[in-house]
Amino acid sequence: MTEVNTVGNRIDTILTDLLARIRGVILDHRVTEDEYAAAKQYLISVGEAGEWPLLADVFLGSTVERLHSDALDVDGAIEGPFYIPGAPELTAPYVMPMREGEGGDVLVFTGSVAGKDGQPIDGAEIDMWQCDSRGTYAGIPYPDGRELPPQWNLRGRFRTDGSGDFEVRTILPVPYEIPKAGPTGALLRAAGWHPFRPAHLHARVSAPGYHQLITQLYFEGDPYIESDIVNGVKAPLICKLDKRDGPGGRAEFTTSYDFRLAAV
Ligand SMILES: [Fe+2]
Protein backbone atom coordinates (compact mmCIF):
# COMPACT_ATOMS: atom_id res chain seq x y z
CA MET A 1 0.00 0.00 0.00
CA THR A 2 1.36 3.44 -0.92
CA GLU A 3 1.66 5.87 1.94
CA VAL A 4 1.87 9.60 1.40
CA ASN A 5 4.79 11.55 2.84
CA THR A 6 2.98 14.00 5.06
CA VAL A 7 5.84 16.60 5.41
CA GLY A 8 4.49 18.80 8.17
CA ASN A 9 1.03 17.26 7.97
CA ARG A 10 -0.76 20.08 6.17
CA ILE A 11 -2.34 17.69 3.68
CA ASP A 12 -5.93 18.31 4.81
CA THR A 13 -5.60 22.10 4.68
CA ILE A 14 -3.71 22.35 1.39
CA LEU A 15 -5.65 19.62 -0.41
CA THR A 16 -8.96 21.19 0.54
CA ASP A 17 -7.84 24.55 -0.87
CA LEU A 18 -6.27 22.98 -3.98
CA LEU A 19 -9.41 21.04 -4.85
CA ALA A 20 -11.61 24.08 -4.27
CA ARG A 21 -9.50 26.11 -6.69
CA ILE A 22 -9.40 23.41 -9.37
CA ARG A 23 -13.16 22.94 -9.08
CA GLY A 24 -13.51 26.70 -9.45
CA VAL A 25 -11.48 26.63 -12.68
CA ILE A 26 -13.63 23.78 -14.03
CA LEU A 27 -16.80 25.76 -13.29
CA ASP A 28 -15.47 29.14 -14.48
CA HIS A 29 -14.31 27.72 -17.81
CA ARG A 30 -17.16 25.22 -18.18
CA VAL A 31 -14.71 22.37 -18.79
CA THR A 32 -16.42 19.69 -20.91
CA GLU A 33 -16.36 15.94 -20.37
CA ASP A 34 -14.19 15.56 -23.47
CA GLU A 35 -11.71 18.10 -22.14
CA TYR A 36 -11.70 16.33 -18.77
CA ALA A 37 -11.04 12.99 -20.46
CA ALA A 38 -8.21 14.54 -22.52
CA ALA A 39 -6.69 16.03 -19.37
CA LYS A 40 -6.70 12.65 -17.61
CA GLN A 41 -5.10 11.01 -20.63
CA TYR A 42 -2.47 13.76 -20.68
CA LEU A 43 -1.63 13.22 -17.00
CA ILE A 44 -1.20 9.50 -17.69
CA SER A 45 1.20 10.29 -20.55
CA VAL A 46 3.29 12.56 -18.30
CA GLY A 47 3.74 9.66 -15.88
CA GLU A 48 4.53 7.15 -18.61
CA ALA A 49 7.20 9.48 -19.99
CA GLY A 50 8.71 10.04 -16.51
CA GLU A 51 8.18 13.78 -16.90
CA TRP A 52 6.43 14.60 -13.63
CA PRO A 53 9.58 16.20 -12.15
CA LEU A 54 10.09 18.23 -15.34
CA LEU A 55 6.49 19.37 -15.58
CA ALA A 56 6.37 20.33 -11.89
CA ASP A 57 9.66 22.22 -12.02
CA VAL A 58 8.74 24.09 -15.21
CA PHE A 59 5.46 25.40 -13.85
CA LEU A 60 5.82 25.42 -10.07
CA GLY A 61 9.48 25.24 -8.98
CA SER A 62 10.14 28.98 -9.19
CA THR A 63 7.14 29.74 -6.98
CA VAL A 64 8.39 27.46 -4.21
CA GLU A 65 11.87 29.00 -4.59
CA ARG A 66 10.40 32.49 -4.23
CA LEU A 67 9.12 31.64 -0.77
CA HIS A 68 12.56 30.37 0.25
CA SER A 69 14.33 33.54 -0.96
CA ASP A 70 11.71 35.83 0.53
CA ALA A 71 12.11 34.17 3.93
CA LEU A 72 15.86 35.00 3.87
CA ASP A 73 15.32 38.33 2.08
CA VAL A 74 17.85 37.43 -0.62
CA ASP A 75 17.79 37.50 -4.44
CA GLY A 76 17.88 33.77 -5.07
CA ALA A 77 16.60 31.79 -8.02
CA ILE A 78 15.86 28.18 -8.89
CA GLU A 79 18.86 25.88 -9.11
CA GLY A 80 17.56 24.12 -12.22
CA PRO A 81 18.37 20.52 -13.17
CA PHE A 82 21.89 21.04 -14.56
CA TYR A 83 24.06 21.63 -11.48
CA ILE A 84 26.90 19.14 -11.00
CA PRO A 85 28.90 19.31 -7.73
CA GLY A 86 32.68 19.15 -7.75
CA ALA A 87 33.50 21.58 -10.57
CA PRO A 88 37.22 22.46 -10.89
CA GLU A 89 38.65 25.05 -8.50
CA LEU A 90 40.06 27.81 -10.70
CA THR A 91 43.18 29.84 -9.98
CA ALA A 92 43.35 33.60 -10.50
CA PRO A 93 43.08 35.28 -12.95
CA TYR A 94 39.88 33.30 -13.34
CA VAL A 95 38.83 31.89 -16.70
CA MET A 96 36.00 29.38 -16.90
CA PRO A 97 37.07 25.99 -18.33
CA MET A 98 36.37 26.07 -22.05
CA ARG A 99 37.45 24.59 -25.35
CA GLU A 100 40.08 26.07 -27.63
CA GLY A 101 38.15 28.57 -29.73
CA GLU A 102 34.97 28.19 -27.63
CA GLY A 103 32.09 29.67 -29.61
CA GLY A 104 30.17 32.73 -28.54
CA ASP A 105 30.96 36.23 -27.33
CA VAL A 106 33.50 36.79 -24.56
CA LEU A 107 31.96 37.90 -21.27
CA VAL A 108 33.98 39.48 -18.47
CA PHE A 109 31.93 39.11 -15.30
CA THR A 110 32.96 41.19 -12.29
CA GLY A 111 31.32 41.76 -8.95
CA SER A 112 31.47 41.24 -5.24
CA VAL A 113 30.14 39.10 -2.44
CA ALA A 114 29.04 40.71 0.81
CA GLY A 115 26.65 40.19 3.66
CA LYS A 116 23.32 41.94 3.51
CA ASP A 117 24.84 44.53 5.84
CA GLY A 118 27.36 45.36 3.10
CA GLN A 119 30.31 43.73 4.88
CA PRO A 120 32.60 42.37 2.09
CA ILE A 121 33.34 38.64 2.33
CA ASP A 122 36.93 37.57 1.73
CA GLY A 123 37.26 34.11 0.18
CA ALA A 124 33.58 33.52 -0.60
CA GLU A 125 33.20 30.65 -3.09
CA ILE A 126 31.27 31.18 -6.30
CA ASP A 127 30.39 27.88 -8.00
CA MET A 128 29.26 28.92 -11.47
CA TRP A 129 27.76 26.91 -14.33
CA GLN A 130 26.24 27.88 -17.66
CA CYS A 131 25.43 26.66 -21.15
CA ASP A 132 27.67 27.16 -24.17
CA SER A 133 26.85 29.21 -27.26
CA ARG A 134 24.61 26.37 -28.51
CA GLY A 135 22.59 26.24 -25.31
CA THR A 136 24.19 22.99 -24.12
CA TYR A 137 25.47 22.17 -20.61
CA ALA A 138 28.48 19.89 -20.11
CA GLY A 139 27.84 16.56 -18.42
CA ILE A 140 24.10 16.44 -19.14
CA PRO A 141 22.72 13.54 -21.19
CA TYR A 142 20.22 15.23 -23.51
CA PRO A 143 17.36 13.09 -24.84
CA ASP A 144 18.00 14.37 -28.38
CA GLY A 145 21.48 12.81 -28.30
CA ARG A 146 23.29 16.03 -29.19
CA GLU A 147 27.07 16.27 -28.98
CA LEU A 148 28.11 17.31 -25.46
CA PRO A 149 30.85 19.77 -24.50
CA PRO A 150 33.79 18.18 -22.63
CA GLN A 151 33.49 17.44 -18.91
CA TRP A 152 33.37 20.59 -16.75
CA ASN A 153 33.14 22.90 -19.76
CA LEU A 154 31.89 26.27 -18.48
CA ARG A 155 31.67 24.96 -14.92
CA GLY A 156 34.07 26.24 -12.27
CA ARG A 157 34.59 27.46 -8.72
CA PHE A 158 36.44 30.62 -7.81
CA ARG A 159 36.76 32.93 -4.79
CA THR A 160 36.49 36.56 -3.88
CA ASP A 161 39.66 38.47 -3.00
CA GLY A 162 40.41 40.28 0.26
CA SER A 163 38.02 43.07 -0.73
CA GLY A 164 35.19 40.65 -1.49
CA ASP A 165 35.57 41.23 -5.24
CA PHE A 166 35.96 38.84 -8.17
CA GLU A 167 36.48 38.85 -11.92
CA VAL A 168 36.04 35.87 -14.23
CA ARG A 169 36.27 35.53 -18.01
CA THR A 170 33.75 33.31 -19.72
CA ILE A 171 31.49 33.39 -22.74
CA LEU A 172 28.03 34.86 -22.95
CA PRO A 173 25.37 32.17 -22.40
CA VAL A 174 22.43 32.05 -24.81
CA PRO A 175 18.70 31.41 -24.36
CA TYR A 176 17.88 27.69 -24.56
CA GLU A 177 14.86 25.46 -24.83
CA ILE A 178 13.68 23.21 -22.03
CA PRO A 179 13.27 19.53 -23.09
CA LYS A 180 10.35 19.60 -25.48
CA ALA A 181 10.21 16.15 -27.07
CA GLY A 182 7.82 14.67 -24.49
CA PRO A 183 4.44 15.56 -22.99
CA THR A 184 5.74 18.77 -21.37
CA GLY A 185 6.75 20.13 -24.77
CA ALA A 186 3.47 18.91 -26.28
CA LEU A 187 1.54 20.92 -23.69
CA LEU A 188 3.52 24.07 -24.50
CA ARG A 189 2.81 23.62 -28.22
CA ALA A 190 -0.87 23.02 -27.53
CA ALA A 191 -1.00 26.25 -25.52
CA GLY A 192 0.97 28.16 -28.17
CA TRP A 193 3.81 28.90 -25.73
CA HIS A 194 7.52 28.91 -26.58
CA PRO A 195 9.88 26.59 -24.64
CA PHE A 196 12.71 29.09 -24.03
CA ARG A 197 14.51 30.33 -20.96
CA PRO A 198 16.37 33.65 -21.26
CA ALA A 199 20.18 33.45 -21.22
CA HIS A 200 21.56 33.14 -17.70
CA LEU A 201 24.52 32.36 -15.49
CA HIS A 202 23.91 29.98 -12.57
CA ALA A 203 25.74 30.49 -9.27
CA ARG A 204 25.93 28.93 -5.83
CA VAL A 205 27.64 31.40 -3.53
CA SER A 206 28.83 30.26 -0.13
CA ALA A 207 30.87 31.51 2.79
CA PRO A 208 31.20 30.42 6.43
CA GLY A 209 28.57 32.05 8.62
CA TYR A 210 26.16 32.69 5.74
CA HIS A 211 23.31 30.83 4.09
CA GLN A 212 24.35 29.52 0.70
CA LEU A 213 22.80 31.63 -2.07
CA ILE A 214 21.62 29.78 -5.17
CA THR A 215 20.75 32.19 -7.92
CA GLN A 216 20.77 33.04 -11.63
CA LEU A 217 21.74 36.21 -13.45
CA TYR A 218 19.96 37.40 -16.58
CA PHE A 219 20.75 40.12 -19.12
CA GLU A 220 18.87 43.24 -20.15
CA GLY A 221 17.45 43.08 -23.65
CA ASP A 222 17.13 39.29 -23.75
CA PRO A 223 14.19 38.36 -26.02
CA TYR A 224 12.79 35.97 -23.38
CA ILE A 225 13.32 38.09 -20.27
CA GLU A 226 9.59 38.81 -19.98
CA SER A 227 8.38 35.33 -20.90
CA ASP A 228 10.75 32.84 -19.23
CA ILE A 229 8.87 29.55 -19.55
CA VAL A 230 9.86 28.59 -15.99
CA ASN A 231 8.94 32.04 -14.62
CA GLY A 232 12.33 32.31 -12.91
CA VAL A 233 13.34 35.91 -13.71
CA LYS A 234 13.36 38.48 -10.91
CA ALA A 235 14.06 42.14 -11.68
CA PRO A 236 17.06 42.48 -9.29
CA LEU A 237 18.78 39.60 -11.13
CA ILE A 238 18.77 41.33 -14.53
CA CYS A 239 22.25 42.64 -15.33
CA LYS A 240 23.33 45.29 -17.81
CA LEU A 241 25.64 44.20 -20.62
CA ASP A 242 28.25 46.58 -21.97
CA LYS A 243 30.35 46.03 -25.06
CA ARG A 244 34.00 47.05 -25.37
CA ASP A 245 37.07 46.26 -27.44
CA GLY A 246 38.98 43.38 -25.89
CA PRO A 247 42.43 41.95 -26.58
CA GLY A 248 43.26 41.88 -30.29
CA GLY A 249 40.35 44.21 -31.06
CA ARG A 250 37.83 41.39 -30.52
CA ALA A 251 34.62 42.75 -29.06
CA GLU A 252 33.76 41.51 -25.59
CA PHE A 253 30.93 42.08 -23.18
CA THR A 254 31.16 43.07 -19.55
CA THR A 255 28.65 42.76 -16.78
CA SER A 256 28.67 43.13 -13.03
CA TYR A 257 26.69 41.84 -10.09
CA ASP A 258 27.01 42.11 -6.32
CA PHE A 259 25.88 38.98 -4.47
CA ARG A 260 24.39 39.59 -1.03
CA LEU A 261 24.24 36.72 1.46
CA ALA A 262 22.07 36.30 4.54
CA ALA A 263 23.94 35.61 7.76
CA VAL A 264 23.13 32.33 9.50
FE1 LIG B 1 20.21 27.01 -16.92
Side-chain angles (χ1 to χ4, degrees), residues 109-127 158-166 203-207 210-211 213 257-262:
F109 173 36
T110 58
S112 68
V113 180
K116 289 199 302 170
D117 57 3
Q119 180 70 36
I121 303 175
D122 178 359
E125 182 187 85
I126 300 163
D127 188 345
F158 49 91
R159 292 184 182 277
T160 53
D161 64 19
S163 306
D165 297 329
F166 67 86
R204 280 173 167 243
V205 185
S206 39
Y210 294 89
H211 290 280
L213 175 69
Y257 186 78
D258 298 316
F259 297 101
R260 293 291 176 263
L261 308 187

Side-chain angles (χ1 to χ4, degrees), residues 79 82 129 137 176 197 200 202 216:
E79 180 175 275
F82 300 142
W129 69 105
Y137 286 85
Y176 62 80
R197 297 215 63 220
H200 54 272
H202 291 269
Q216 299 185 19

Side-chain angles (χ1 to χ4, degrees), residues 81-90 95-98 126-131 136-140 142 150-158 170 202:
F82 300 142
Y83 175 69
I84 300 177
E89 275 193 68
L90 310 182
V95 179
M96 290 291 274
M98 65 178 78
I126 300 163
D127 188 345
M128 197 167 98
W129 69 105
Q130 64 171 98
C131 68
T136 305
Y137 286 85
I140 300 301
Y142 284 82
Q151 191 186 24
W152 303 121
N153 203 60
L154 299 173
R155 297 176 182 272
R157 291 180 288 154
F158 49 91
T170 184
H202 291 269

